[in-house]
Amino acid sequence: MIEELRNPLSGDYCHLKNFILSHDFPWFRFSNTTRDVGDDNIGMFSHTFLERPEVNNGYSKSNSPYIDSCIDVLREIIIFNKIDFNLFYRVPANLVAAGPSVEKTVEHNDHKFPHTNIIIYLSDSDGDTVVGKEIYTPKEDRVIIFRGAHYHCTPTEKDRIVLVGTFL
């Protein structure tokens, strides 16, 4: 089930968002949108703030000098919405460029253990997120959480830029 959260649009959030959308933010190219699940041949750019525990022998690892401000913003939104929270497993910013047609990424779970996903949409785009039979169309500054298998569609109008987190 997809649940939309309220975004308090704090100064810290606006500062982080503006930095991620700036020309100064470092992006890294990946050949597909899913890791160790299947190759969907959909390229993307990503910036990993916090590496997933699966690639570090069972523990998450900071991979960005900007980790603290990013975690502060995610924590602020989760606490603002009175969501139970213990720790983050993984946090990247992802950018999928708009293309001529809609493609679907591989359906997947981000981890093989219990977790909740949070997505903050940093841009208006038509790259829907699909969880089960629920479809969520992105709107800039909106936030959703969900659990379970999901996929997203590629945008055709504007780049799909999101901040993603998985947490317990």
Side-chain angles (χ1 to χ4, degrees):
M1 179 174 98
I2 297 172
E3 179 183 350
E4 187 172 324
L5 302 182
R6 292 176 295 146
N7 185 344
L9 301 173
S10 70
D12 288 342
Y13 168 78
C14 293
H15 180 76
L16 179 65
K17 175 186 166 186
N18 289 337
F19 177 56
I20 291 171
L21 298 178
S22 77
H23 294 288
D24 296 324
F25 189 70
W27 291 103
F28 303 91
R29 174 117 170 73
F30 290 82
S31 60
N32 66 66
T33 64
T34 53
R35 180 182 173 88
D36 301 328
V37 176
D39 189 354
D40 56 20
N41 291 316
I42 299 171
M44 73 169 183
F45 292 90
S46 188
H47 179 98
T48 303
F49 293 95
L50 184 66
E51 289 182 339
R52 61 179 65 237
E54 295 90 336
V55 300
N56 290 302
N57 296 318
Y59 64 94
S60 299
K61 181 179 172 185
S62 173
N63 190 51
S64 171
Y66 314 111
I67 183 70
D68 291 335
S69 60
C70 179
I71 293 295
D72 288 347
V73 165
L74 287 168
R75 184 181 295 122
E76 176 183 63
I77 291 170
I78 289 170
I79 291 169
F80 182 81
N81 285 275
K82 298 180 171 79
I83 304 291
D84 288 333
F85 162 79
N86 291 303
L87 59 95
F88 286 101
Y89 292 119
R90 165 182 179 258
V91 178
N94 294 334
L95 184 158
V96 175
S101 63
V102 174
E103 297 179 51
K104 295 178 183 177
T105 65
V106 173
E107 185 175 44
H108 64 284
N109 282 297
D110 282 9
H111 307 285
K112 293 180 181 177
F113 49 83
H115 65 280
T116 299
N117 293 66
I118 183 169
I119 299 178
I120 303 172
Y121 297 94
L122 303 177
S123 64
D124 269 326
S125 77
D126 58 331
D128 291 346
T129 299
V130 181
V131 180
K133 296 184 188 284
E134 289 184 87
I135 299 171
Y136 187 85
T137 300
K139 297 285 183 220
E140 187 172 352
D141 298 323
R142 298 278 174 90
V143 181
I144 62 170
I145 60 171
F146 58 88
R147 292 180 184 89
H150 61 283
Y151 66 90
H152 72 82
C153 299
T154 59
T156 59
E157 298 172 11
K158 195 173 174 187
D159 296 345
R160 181 184 191 271
I161 305 171
V162 297
L163 182 61
V164 177
T166 61
F167 66 94
L168 175 65

